[in-house]
Amino acid sequence: MMSGSSPPPPSLPAGSEGFFRGYTKLCKGLAVMLFLVHLVVQLFPSAVTYLALIPARTIPFAWNLITAGYVEQTIPGVIVSIIGLLLFGKLLEPLWGSKELSKFIFIVNFSTSACVFITAIVIYYITQQEIYLYTPLSGFYGVLSGLLVGIKQLLPDQELNLFVLKIKAKWIPSLVALISIVVSFFVKDLMSYLPVVLFGIYMSWIYLRYFQKRLETGLKGDPSEEFSFSSFFPEFLRPILDPIASIFHRLLCGRSERSDARGQTLDTSPLPGSDSIEANRRRERGQRALEQRLAEKLAAVRSSEGTSLDASDKV
């Protein structure tokens, strides 16, 4: 005779519940939007004309500079974008906050599209080939590349396992740029993604380097040497790149420094070592946040295992 108690409901495998936890509402909402926009483009192909960036039509359709970044025209593209957004956002949003992350995504997306538009116009006037004016350009890869730059800034020494290789997070944006350049020479269909990736990396660095407001100091940007432009390149190239980067810094991205800011002298020059101290503090915050997330995941796994054992004992 069977007992009156009903059998326990089936549970997810140990660890799977922890896997689905931690993704923020902002990133999940953007992921749903990427999927819905992809679905609209598949059901109504003519929508690409109004949503993707087509340089010849951008002047009347200026909203393309915003919408193009959220249009993935291929199934692999939307899958990679959604997974990348969820994973990278899971790392960055607890450190930046939802407001700053959404601001970062908007700025990087818009500035990347604007740079791609200008580049396409310039190439057209050089080559006189209309394909550069009428090829629909879109994709979330610029923002994904920018998020990798954010991870480079906050968790530079975190080691990531890539198949059989271990690589520090600070080299991931450079590796992505190098792979994109090499692949574009062999696969012409991927050539249109190259400027999106490269401008995504560069514009996100510009924002984080010079404009992102640091709540702990009230200053803008990250002036540390560990996040300089030359830090994206191998050590032997830095003596060549640093003088060039300093010229562009003075011409395009010079900052007005506050005389009363913490960590500065009366002549508005940074105190020796203040940049490296700030960089160390940022890395420590990122490391603590990462360790906290790992501890929460481990606790969730142990909790699910304990629940499964209790259910089996009752049976």
Side-chain angles (χ1 to χ4, degrees):
M1 183 176 178
M2 298 179 62
S3 62
S5 60
S6 59
S11 60
L12 292 172
S16 60
E17 293 181 356
F19 176 80
F20 288 104
R21 292 176 180 174
Y23 299 120
T24 62
K25 291 182 179 180
L26 172 63
C27 292
K28 287 189 286 189
L30 287 175
V32 170
M33 184 178 69
L34 288 173
F35 175 76
L36 293 178
V37 173
H38 171 74
L39 196 61
V40 169
V41 169
Q42 296 301 312
L43 296 176
F44 307 100
S46 60
V48 174
T49 305
Y50 301 95
L51 297 177
L53 176 62
I54 302 177
R57 300 175 180 175
T58 298
I59 299 302
F61 300 159
W63 61 82
N64 293 164
L65 296 173
I66 298 175
T67 59
Y70 304 102
V71 178
E72 286 292 351
Q73 302 182 48
T74 65
I75 294 177
V78 73
I79 292 175
V80 171
S81 295
I82 289 176
I83 293 176
L85 172 63
L86 292 175
L87 293 178
F88 302 158
K90 188 177 181 180
L91 288 173
L92 293 176
E93 187 168 348
L95 302 174
W96 284 351
S98 299
K99 182 178 179 181
E100 176 59 32
L101 180 61
S102 59
K103 178 182 177 182
F104 175 83
I105 290 175
F106 176 83
I107 291 175
V108 172
N109 177 52
F110 177 78
S111 59
T112 298
S113 296
C115 290
V116 171
F117 167 72
I118 295 172
T119 301
I121 297 297
V122 171
I123 294 178
Y124 164 72
Y125 278 109
I126 294 174
T127 63
Q128 294 297 308
Q129 296 183 18
E130 293 187 351
I131 188 175
Y132 295 107
L133 293 181
Y134 293 98
T135 299
L137 304 171
S138 64
F140 200 65
Y141 296 109
V143 175
L144 291 182
S145 303
L147 294 176
L148 287 175
V149 176
I151 295 174
K152 167 188 169 68
Q153 180 195 37
L154 297 176
L155 301 168
D157 297 321
Q158 179 67 35
E159 287 191 345
L160 303 176
N161 292 321
L162 298 179
F163 302 104
V164 296
L165 298 176
K166 282 187 177 181
I167 184 170
K168 291 186 177 181
K170 64 182 179 180
W171 295 115
I172 296 295
S174 305
L175 183 62
V176 169
L178 178 61
I179 293 175
S180 300
I181 293 172
V182 173
V183 171
S184 64
F185 281 107
F186 297 98
V187 184
K188 291 185 178 180
D189 293 339
L190 299 180
M191 180 66 75
S192 60
Y193 293 104
L194 180 60
V196 178
V197 171
L198 296 182
F199 281 124
I201 292 174
Y202 185 65
M203 298 312 297
S204 61
W205 175 79
I206 288 288
Y207 172 73
L208 295 175
R209 178 73 168 175
Y210 297 105
F211 300 105
Q212 185 186 50
K213 188 174 181 179
R214 294 179 287 168
L215 298 178
E216 64 273 11
T217 61
L219 300 177
K220 290 183 178 181
D222 181 356
S224 63
E225 288 297 322
E226 292 84 354
F227 197 59
S228 63
F229 180 73
S230 61
S231 69
F232 288 82
F233 297 88
E235 190 75 29
F236 68 90
L237 291 177
R238 294 181 185 181
I240 302 174
L241 294 172
D242 282 336
I244 300 175
S246 65
I247 295 175
F248 282 94
H249 170 77
R250 289 192 295 267
L251 292 177
L252 302 177
C253 303
R255 296 175 301 160
S256 58
E257 299 179 331
R258 302 175 185 175
S259 59
D260 59 342
R262 187 177 66 183
Q264 293 186 345
T265 58
L266 293 176
D267 62 352
T268 70
S269 300
L271 287 173
S274 61
D275 291 350
S276 59
I277 293 174
E278 178 58 35
N280 291 333
R281 288 175 179 173
R282 182 176 282 106
R283 285 196 296 270
E284 289 173 0
R285 289 196 306 273
Q287 190 66 34
R288 285 197 301 269
L290 181 62
E291 292 174 353
Q292 182 179 358
R293 284 193 294 273
L294 292 176
E296 292 174 353
K297 184 175 180 180
L298 181 59
V301 171
R302 291 176 176 174
S303 176
S304 62
E305 290 176 349
T307 304
S308 301
L309 291 174
D310 292 341
S312 62
D313 292 341
K314 290 179 181 180
V315 174

